[in-house]
Amino acid sequence: RKMANYFNQTKQKEIAKPKSNITDRQMEIVKALSKGLSYKLVADELSISIDTVRTHIKKIYKTLQVNSKIEVINLYNNGKV
């Protein structure tokens, strides 16, 4: 019983963790990417430069530990971001 309770508590702690530590602006970029927008269109939509979008993308990749836009979109679509 003690072991079952221990693993049950551990599982609940994992569920309670926040999904990710990305900023609100980075989340806006992820949402725009999930709509199929290019970096240029994301920049235009958010009124920022394309270089700023690229900087945010690099930080998003590092935070989410992914290597491509497709992986970011998949995480977003699966509710893990």
Side-chain angles (χ1 to χ4, degrees):
R1 222 181 251 182
K2 286 183 181 182
M3 285 184 68
N5 287 339
Y6 171 79
F7 286 111
N8 205 9
Q9 289 173 354
T10 304
K11 192 70 169 172
Q12 289 175 355
K13 287 179 184 176
E14 288 176 9
I15 293 170
K17 288 182 183 177
K19 292 180 182 178
S20 66
N21 293 324
I22 63 173
T23 66
D24 291 338
R25 182 57 126 186
Q26 291 170 346
M27 182 56 84
E28 290 176 349
I29 292 171
V30 170
K31 287 178 183 178
L33 291 175
S34 71
K35 292 181 201 174
L37 300 181
S38 67
Y39 291 179
K40 173 71 173 128
L41 291 175
V42 171
D44 291 344
E45 184 175 295
L46 299 177
S47 301
I48 56 179
S49 74
I50 193 165
D51 290 328
T52 303
V53 172
R54 287 186 180 122
T55 299
H56 281 300
I57 292 293
K58 287 177 189 176
K59 290 178 182 177
I60 291 167
Y61 284 9
K62 185 175 181 180
T63 302
L64 298 178
Q65 299 177 353
V66 297
N67 297 311
S68 72
K69 182 167 58 170
I70 299 296
E71 288 178 286
V72 172
I73 293 169
N74 284 337
L75 286 176
Y76 176 76
N77 289 335
N78 291 326
K80 296 181 180 178
V81 175

